[in-house]
Amino acid sequence: DHQCVLTGEWVNDLGSNMTIGPVNTEGKFDGSYLTAVKKAPGKIHISPLAGYQHATNIWRQPTFGFTVNWNFTGASPSPASLQYPQSSLILPVMFPNDPPINSITVFTGQCFVDDGGKETLKTMWLLRSAADNIKDDWKATMVGTNTFTRRY
Ligand SMILES: O=C(CCCC[C@@H]1SC[C@@H]2NC(=O)N[C@@H]21)Nc1ccc([N+](=O)[O-])cc1
């Protein structure tokens, strides 16, 4: 019966788009993610993702996990959090007008296939953004859910 392989185009309840490439024999895959929402101002860019799903030949409804490495602006880093001492010379050169975002999201979930063969990815995610100071660590991780369906 129909098995769920994550390869292909997906859209979630927020309108974010995800493209997943081939899944290899060990269940590993790469892909890209274009989020429809973000926390801080700045242009959104497609970001890379990498993950695993359980080998589909034994599971009809495999569990999976993947990490999205955000590579666009968001909350700009405070000078204190930057590697280099605050020097006006360096900052504009390093981050001309697009300060990097220091955050990452891990998604984990399962693919469900209904009687008609329609696939749904039920996921939960943790979004970690950089805190300037360990005392702010407690407020640096957000959690949520997303449901994905195929984007035909
Ligand atoms: O905004 C960001 C990067 C983009 C995160 C998009 C999230 S991932 C879970 C959910 N599902 C989606 O499809 N899209 C959203 N990073 C960020 C977040 C918070 C802060 N912050 O300073 O609190 C800084 C940067």
Side-chain angles (χ1 to χ4, degrees), residues 14-28:
L14 292 171
S16 299
N17 289 329
M18 169 168 77
T19 303
I20 293 185
V23 179
N24 73 16
T25 49
E26 59 174 323
K28 212 169 179 178

Side-chain angles (χ1 to χ4, degrees), residues 2 61 111-120 148-150 152:
H2 182 78
Q61 301 189 123
C111 179
F112 292 101
V113 187
D114 73 13
D115 299 345
K118 185 175 178 316
E119 295 152 315
T120 302
F148 293 80
T149 51
R150 283 208 190 260
Y152 291 107

Side-chain angles (χ1 to χ4, degrees), residues 72-96:
F72 59 89
T73 56
S76 52
S78 68
S81 68
L82 289 176
Q83 227 164 345
Y84 300 91
Q86 170 61 351
S87 115
S88 59
L89 181 68
I90 287 180
L91 213 52
V93 171
M94 283 171 64
F95 312 129

